[in-house]
């Protein structure tokens, strides 16, 4: 099916089987055809493999599993066109009111050579906004999503559904399709990317159950602000809403790599093997929490790589979560394990910083983390920089920063870091802070803002931490420790029946290539405690080997 033309002015519902069946349901349908759309539209465009609009969809397949053709069966393409409003694309159904179950997409979904205000693409459904009881279940996407476009508004791309604002359930869905933004693409606004769901906003009672991702997410082109995760790009609330909570049941496994190789100026990136960012905020003077409850084990096996030639805000990169901020909270009731390398290689000078963590890149502005199960980082944390103003890297969390209010980390079964930390800095100046647990903990007030940390059982670093440099170049400040880098804040650090250990494997090394012009601080357990931070505890055994 090929459609060519100019100046489409109405809504367009284009699909491989039935274009528009808003109040009806479809089942046991297969599309092996190729859909190509060309031309200019002045309204919203809906393109889907099975149907652009329906009530429910069951046992539908777009494309052919294992198809190795250059142009795969079920492929959906919108190219060489200007869409003045919104482009919506999906493998199965775009607009639907009821459940979607046992559906598969194997066709490539692509948009290139186009300009549009907004772009929303889901491998199975464009969005899961039918009703509060809607279920998207037992669906699989192996189709690639590819964008090479000029987009002035929001862009959401995901293997299952691009967004939801309803209390729906996504059950036993799996994505193996890659998501790619081409080098010549230009996305001027927010960009949410994920293996399962790109964006959930103002949703409480929303559930993700037994899902997984093995598809790679790669950004070659320019994005304004990118939030990417193996499960979800962003979970957030607006100022007008009350506290929201979502639940992840039966854990989650990400095996896909998440990579950015931006070749021009970007605002920032929040990237994690599970989720890019969870963000709450304030409703007037009331704290409004955005909370994620995780039941079951979460494992990230994918590499999280963030490379730049320029950015204008601070990137936050984590093996599990990119950033928790503005009343965002994580409550993990199972094990959390990161096995993937977290890295950045940035060849430019900037006044901004970068935060990398094996579990969380950064926690800021009343972000909270509670872990009830074992938490382990096995992935290497690697940073190469030629001029970033400050860096914070750590096995658990790069930056833990309180602004205006108190926030906390509570770990009931401790933390173990087995991932090597390596920082290579090749320019003059700069501030480097590294720790097997925390890189930098700080707050903006000794009275209002406090960072409280409570650890039970154990806190262990089993791996070397190294700072390397360029011969003849001087680094302004180096703060490096087996567990705690810089602790510059008001708050408490409490250990309960806890053994704190930097083992014989946890060597600290600043190479002979490094010169410092200001401060060098090193410690087997902690490098620097400042201000009114109070260590405390009962049954504590502190060991540096």
């Amino acid at each position: 099916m090929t459609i060519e033309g100019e100046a489409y002015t109405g809504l367009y519902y284009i699909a491989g089987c039935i274009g528009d069946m808003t109040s009806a349901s479809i089942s046991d349908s297969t599309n092996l055809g190729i859909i190509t759309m060309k031309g200019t539209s002045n309204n919203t465009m809906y393109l889907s493999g099975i149907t652009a609009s329906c009530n429910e969809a069951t046992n539908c397949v777009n494309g052919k599993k294992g198809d190795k053709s250059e142009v795969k069966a079920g492929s959906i393409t919108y190219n060489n066109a200007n869409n003045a409003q919104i482009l919506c694309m999906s493998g199965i159904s775009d607009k639907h009111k009821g459940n979607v179950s046992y559906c598969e997409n194997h066709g490539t979904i692509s948009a290139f050579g186009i300009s549009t205000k907004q772009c929303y693409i889901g491998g199975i459904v464009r969005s899961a906004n039918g009703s509060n009881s809607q279920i998207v279940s037992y669906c699989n996407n192996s189709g690639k999503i590819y964008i090479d476009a000029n987009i002035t508004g929001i862009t959401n791309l995901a293997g299952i559904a691009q967004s939801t604002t309803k209390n729906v359930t996504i059950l036993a869905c799996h994505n193996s399709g890659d998501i790619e933004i081409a080098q010549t693409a230009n996305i001027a606004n927010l960009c949410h990317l994920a293996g399962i769901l790109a964006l959930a906003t103002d949703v409480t009672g929303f559930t993700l159950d037994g899902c997984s991702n093995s598809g790679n997410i790669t950004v070659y082109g320019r994005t304004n602000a990118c939030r990417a995760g193996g499960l979800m790009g962003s979970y957030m609330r607006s100022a007008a809403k009350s506290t929201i909570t979502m639940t992840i049941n039966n854990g989650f496994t990400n095996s896909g790599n998440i990579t950015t190789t931006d070749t021009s100026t970007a605002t920032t990136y929040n990237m994690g093997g599970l989720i890019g960012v969870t963000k709450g905020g304030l409703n007037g003077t009331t704290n409004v929490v955005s909370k994620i409850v995780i039941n079951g084990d979460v494992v990230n096996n994918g590499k999280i790589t963030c490379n730049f030639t320029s950015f204008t805000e601070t990137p936050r990169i984590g093996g599990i979560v990119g950033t928790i901020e503005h009343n965002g909270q994580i409550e993990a009731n199972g094990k959390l394990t990161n096995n993937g390398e977290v890295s950045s290689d940035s060849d430019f000078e900037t006044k901004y910083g970068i935060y990398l963590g094996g579990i969380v890149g950064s926690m800021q502005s009343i972000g909270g983390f509670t872990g009830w199960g074992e938490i382990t980082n096995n992935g290497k944390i690697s940073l190469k920089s030629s001029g970033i103003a400050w860096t914070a890297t750590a096995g658990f969390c790069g930056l833990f920063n309180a602004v205006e209010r108190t926030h906390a980390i509570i770990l009931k079964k401790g933390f173990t870091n087995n991932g090597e930390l390596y920082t290579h800095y090749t320019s003059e100046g700069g501030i480097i802070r590294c720790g097997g647990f925390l890189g930098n903990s700080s707050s903006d007030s000794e009275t209002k803002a406090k960072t409280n940390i409570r650890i039970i059982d154990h806190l262990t670093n089993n791996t070397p931490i190294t700072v390397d440099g360029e011969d003849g170049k001087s680094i302004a400040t180096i703060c490096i420790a087996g567990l705690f880098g810089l602790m510059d804040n008001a708050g408490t650090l409490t250990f309960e029946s806890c053994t704190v250990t930097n083992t014989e494997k946890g060597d600290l090394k600043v190479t002979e290539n490094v010169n410092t012009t200001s401060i060098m601080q090193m410690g087997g357990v902690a490098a620097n405690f400042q201000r009114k931070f109070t260590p405390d505890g009962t049954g504590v055994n502190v060991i540096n080997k």
Side-chain angles (χ1 to χ4, degrees), residues 422-429 432 466-476 478 509-517 520:
Y422 177 81
T423 299
H424 185 95
Y425 200 87
T426 61
S427 185
E428 296 282 352
I432 295 173
T466 304
V467 175
D468 195 5
E470 193 81 7
D471 192 22
K473 300 291 181 67
S474 296
I475 301 172
I478 296 174
K509 183 178 181 180
V510 178
T511 71
E512 66 228 14
N513 296 327
V514 175
N515 298 316
T516 57
T517 59
M520 179 182 291

Side-chain angles (χ1 to χ4, degrees), residues 62-67 72-76 90-92 103-110 121-124 140-146 157-160 174-180 194-195 213-216:
N62 182 56
K64 184 168 61 176
K65 188 175 183 179
D67 188 354
K72 293 179 172 58
S75 292
I76 307 166
S90 61
I92 302 299
C103 292
E104 299 179 6
N105 174 59
H106 307 293
T108 300
I109 304 174
S110 57
I121 300 177
I124 299 298
N140 294 282
N141 175 64
S142 66
K144 182 176 182 177
I145 296 173
Y146 175 81
L157 312 175
I160 302 300
H174 307 281
N175 176 63
S176 59
D178 293 343
I179 297 172
E180 180 179 325
N213 174 64
S214 59
N216 297 321

Side-chain angles (χ1 to χ4, degrees), residues 273-349:
L274 178 73
I275 185 170
V277 58
T278 177
K279 183 177 181 180
L282 290 174
N283 183 5
T285 59
T286 303
N287 291 341
V288 180
V289 174
S290 172
K291 184 176 183 179
I292 299 176
V293 178
I294 304 171
N295 299 316
D297 299 342
V298 170
V299 179
N300 175 57
N301 296 316
K303 294 181 179 180
I304 316 295
T305 306
C306 192
N307 298 334
F308 300 92
T309 55
S310 179
F311 57 75
T312 57
E313 287 185 17
T314 300
R316 303 165 178 92
I317 317 300
I320 303 296
V321 182
T323 187
I324 306 169
E325 63 179 24
H326 299 305
N327 281 312
Q329 293 185 7
I330 298 284
E331 181 181 317
N333 296 312
K335 296 179 181 179
L336 293 186
T337 304
N338 175 53
N339 298 318
E341 180 178 355
V342 179
S343 65
S344 180
D345 187 347
S346 304
D347 186 19
F348 69 102
E349 294 196 10

Side-chain angles (χ1 to χ4, degrees), residues 135-139 169-173 207-211 250:
I135 300 175
V136 179
S137 60
Y138 302 99
C139 293
T169 296
I170 298 180
L171 171 65
C173 290
T207 302
L208 287 157
D209 193 336
C211 298
N250 294 306

